[in-house]
Amino acid sequence: MLSLSKSSNAFERGKIMSLIYVTRAMQDDIPAIGAIFEQAKAFLKASGSPQWQAGYPNTDTVAQDLANYSAWVLKVNDQVAGYAAAIIGDDPNYQEIDGAWQNNTEPYAAIHRLALSQDYRGQHLAKYFMSSLISILNEQGIHNFRVDTHDLNQPMQHVATSNGFIRRGHINILDEPNDPLRWAFELNL
């Protein structure tokens, strides 16, 4: 029989584990997602990255993602802690690459706009969020994934590589007016 002493019982010490899960975003989540985007823009700017400094992404982007059933949230204790869009199908930004995709024939999901609330940074939740999205989409029959990010966005590059993505080369974001060059990453399961 397993017995726990009082000192090893997390509940009694006041250290209750958080409920953390991924689910589809809802209309009611848009204000929290908008706030997360603003925090992410400030974080990127402070780190010297020009990524997301021209107004994108915003709540209109989220509304489009919702309409396309590609909007996902990470929740911690039922609070929106992160956002990402998982878009299945050809992404025009990935048509031309200075490098090469390993799998250019099977369907893929492009994971875009992954951002966490500043309240949850440093807890490895972005890695969990990405891994969960990959698992959900894999169960839906999608086995190939792509992400891109700016050269100065080291946290996102770490999230990608820590989830098994391989850097494949550079792409140019078609509607990015300031600095369109991005590293492109691919994961094939």
Side-chain angles (χ1 to χ4, degrees), residues 19-169:
L19 173 62
I20 303 170
Y21 61 98
V22 174
T23 189
R24 289 201 180 268
M26 306 298 282
Q27 195 76 27
D28 292 349
D29 296 327
I30 291 179
I33 296 165
I36 288 169
F37 282 159
E38 292 309 310
Q39 294 169 4
K41 290 173 186 179
F43 177 80
L44 288 168
K45 185 176 186 176
S47 69
S49 176
Q51 188 175 4
W52 290 8
Q53 299 305 306
Y56 163 92
N58 54 47
T59 55
D60 291 339
T61 313
V62 177
Q64 285 181 320
D65 291 341
L66 282 167
N68 294 326
Y69 302 101
S70 59
W72 295 87
V73 288
L74 172 72
K75 291 206 170 182
V76 176
N77 293 331
D78 294 321
Q79 300 298 310
V80 175
Y83 178 79
I87 303 164
I88 300 169
D90 289 335
D91 185 324
N93 291 300
Y94 296 155
Q95 296 300 314
E96 293 185 28
I97 183 170
D98 180 11
W101 300 112
Q102 182 180 359
N103 185 336
N104 213 17
T105 57
E106 295 181 43
Y108 63 87
I111 299 174
H112 291 300
R113 299 179 277 290
L114 192 144
L116 285 185
S117 164
Q118 63 190 10
D119 298 335
Y120 298 98
R121 285 197 194 118
Q123 299 178 35
H124 307 284
L125 291 174
K127 180 179 178 182
Y128 172 83
F129 192 11
M130 177 75 79
S131 177
S132 295
L133 286 172
I134 291 166
S135 296
I136 291 166
L137 294 166
N138 185 55
E139 283 298 309
Q140 295 176 3
I142 301 298
H143 309 294
N144 304 300
F145 303 88
R146 295 180 183 178
V147 299
D148 64 82
T149 195
H150 194 276
D151 185 53
L152 295 175
N153 191 341
Q154 295 297 316
M156 184 59 202
Q157 290 181 50
H158 176 73
V159 169
T161 57
S162 68
N163 275 287
F165 283 82
I166 306 295
R167 186 180 295 179
R168 298 294 185 201

